Amino acid sequence: MSEPVIAYVNCPDAKGSHRMAYASWGPATASHVVFCVHGLTRQGRDFDLLAQAMVAAAEAAQLPPVRVICPDVVGRGRSDWLTDPMAYQFPQYASDMAVLIQSLNSQHPIQRLDWVGTSMGGVIGMLLAAQELPVPIRNLVLNDIGPPVSWKSIQNMQTYVGEVGHFATVQDAANAMWEISKSFGPHSDAEWLALSQHMVKRLEDGAYCLHYDPQLRVPISAVTEASAKAGEAALWQIYDAIRCKTLLIHGAESELLSRDAVQAMTQRGPRVQVATVQGVGHAPTLTHPDQIDLVLAFLGLRA
C-alpha cells in the first residue's frame, strides 16, 4: 500500500463543528489500531514510512493486522481551520481525537489501541491516556515530549509559528523549512524533500505556502513564562495518572526536553522506558530504520 486512504470526521467546537482529515493505512477492519499524531506545525503524512512499516511488520510476523491512523490536527494539512484562533489548544485537539476514536470504533470495534505522538501529538496522547476512554490506550510512545517544555523552546516557536511563507517551488519551501528543522537530525536531500511535499499547498498564483493556518501563532504568542510553568504543573498531574506502558524516544541533543526532565519521567507516572537517539535534537522524524525499529519493537510488531 503506497498511498493511504484519506477520510474525514466531523468534530464539534465552540462555533459549531469542523472536519478533521486523517490518513488511514492498512485494512479498515483491523482491530489493532495505532494513532500517529504529529507536531505543532506538521501534518499526518509525516508518518508515511512508519505507518507502512507497522502494517508490513504485522503481516510479516503473522500477527493480527494493524490499521494506522495519521490525523491532520485541526488547522493543519487537509483539516479545516477554526474560526476562533484561541481555540487552537490541547482540549480541542484531545476532544477531536476522542471523536475520531469513537467513530472508528463504531465502524469496526477496536480491541487494541496504541498511540505514537511527536511533540504536540505526544501531549495529546498523554491527555487521552490519562482518561477513561471506551477504548483505552494500551501502549504510548512519546517522541521527545513530556510535561516540561523548556521556555527557550517556546520562545523559539514564537519566532516562526505563523510564518507560512511564499515559495516558487516545493524545493524552495523545503529549503526554508530545513533552516528551522535542523534539530530533526541528518537527512538526505531526497528524504527531506519527501517529508516536505505534504507540508505545502499550492496558491492561486502557482506559488506555495506551508499547509497550516497562520493563526496558530495567536495562542502561541499569548504564552508567557508564568503560564508555561502553570501548564507544566498541570501536565505533570496528568502524566502521573497515566498507567499504560510508555516509551519515551529522546533526541540526545533536544533543546525542548532536558536530561533532568527525562530522568524525572522515569521515576513518576508510567515510569517511561527511554530510547535515546544520538545526533538528533527535537524531534526524531521516525523515518530512519533505527528509529522505526524502536517503535516496532515497543509495540511488539516484530516476529
Side-chain angles (χ1 to χ4, degrees):
M1 187 178 186
S2 60
E3 288 293 324
V5 174
I6 305 298
Y8 298 85
V9 63
N10 287 315
C11 303
D13 59 54
K15 301 294 185 180
S17 67
H18 57 272
R19 291 200 317 165
M20 181 171 67
Y22 60 95
S24 175
W25 298 87
T29 56
S31 62
H32 180 190
V33 174
V34 183
F35 268 61
C36 293
V37 184
H38 59 79
L40 181 62
T41 61
R42 304 291 302 183
Q43 39 68 52
R45 298 300 299 273
D46 276 358
F47 297 101
D48 282 8
L49 295 179
L50 177 61
Q52 291 175 81
M54 286 193 280
V55 172
E59 183 178 356
Q62 297 184 324
L63 295 169
V66 173
R67 184 182 189 187
V68 185
I69 301 296
C70 306
D72 290 342
V73 177
V74 64
R76 290 85 166 169
R78 293 180 173 89
S79 292
D80 288 347
W81 294 1
L82 295 175
T83 303
D84 176 10
M86 284 304 293
Y88 287 123
Q89 309 258 7
F90 285 111
Q92 182 67 63
Y93 303 155
S95 173
D96 288 358
M97 297 302 162
V99 168
L100 178 52
I101 291 169
Q102 182 57 43
S103 174
L104 296 173
N105 188 50
S106 66
Q107 296 167 27
H108 301 284
I110 301 171
Q111 295 180 4
R112 173 180 166 183
L113 176 63
D114 295 328
W115 191 282
V116 178
T118 295
S119 196
M120 177 187 74
V123 175
I124 299 169
M126 285 190 279
L127 293 172
L128 293 174
Q131 297 179 24
E132 291 189 7
L133 297 173
V135 184
I137 294 173
R138 182 183 297 185
N139 298 291
L140 174 64
V141 179
L142 302 175
N143 187 18
D144 206 61
I145 191 65
V149 174
S150 75
W151 174 238
K152 184 178 180 180
S153 289
I154 295 172
Q155 289 178 303
N156 185 43
M157 294 174 202
Q158 291 174 332
T159 66
Y160 72 81
V161 173
E163 300 298 324
V164 296
H166 191 270
F167 308 102
T169 66
V170 175
Q171 184 64 64
D172 288 344
N175 294 343
M177 281 186 280
W178 180 244
E179 290 304 312
I180 60 170
S181 306
K182 291 180 179 178
S183 63
F184 287 5
H187 288 76
S188 69
D189 291 344
E191 288 170 338
W192 186 248
L193 185 59
L195 273 169
S196 301
Q197 63 179 335
H198 297 291
M199 283 292 298
V200 297
K201 65 177 180 179
R202 195 157 197 178
L203 301 171
E204 291 182 1
D205 64 1
Y208 297 86
C209 73
L210 300 189
H211 211 330
Y212 70 87
D213 184 356
Q215 292 305 301
L216 291 181
R217 70 164 68 92
V218 175
I220 298 296
S221 298
V223 177
T224 64
E225 189 167 8
S227 67
K229 286 292 183 185
E232 177 182 323
L235 197 51
W236 270 119
Q237 290 185 319
I238 290 165
Y239 179 81
D240 287 339
I242 296 172
R243 294 293 176 264
C244 64
K245 184 181 173 185
T246 305
L247 170 68
L248 171 65
I249 298 175
H250 182 226
E253 300 174 12
S254 177
E255 179 186 82
L256 183 141
L257 192 64
S258 70
R259 288 183 173 84
D260 288 344
V262 172
Q263 181 65 21
M265 291 173 69
T266 67
Q267 298 171 351
R268 297 176 58 168
R271 299 178 182 270
V272 295
Q273 301 175 34
V274 179
T276 301
V277 182
Q278 299 297 329
V280 178
H282 182 78
T285 58
L286 307 183
T287 57
H288 294 151
D290 60 327
Q291 297 174 22
I292 289 173
D293 282 345
L294 291 174
V295 178
L296 296 180
F298 179 71
L299 297 184
L301 295 176
R302 286 296 196 203

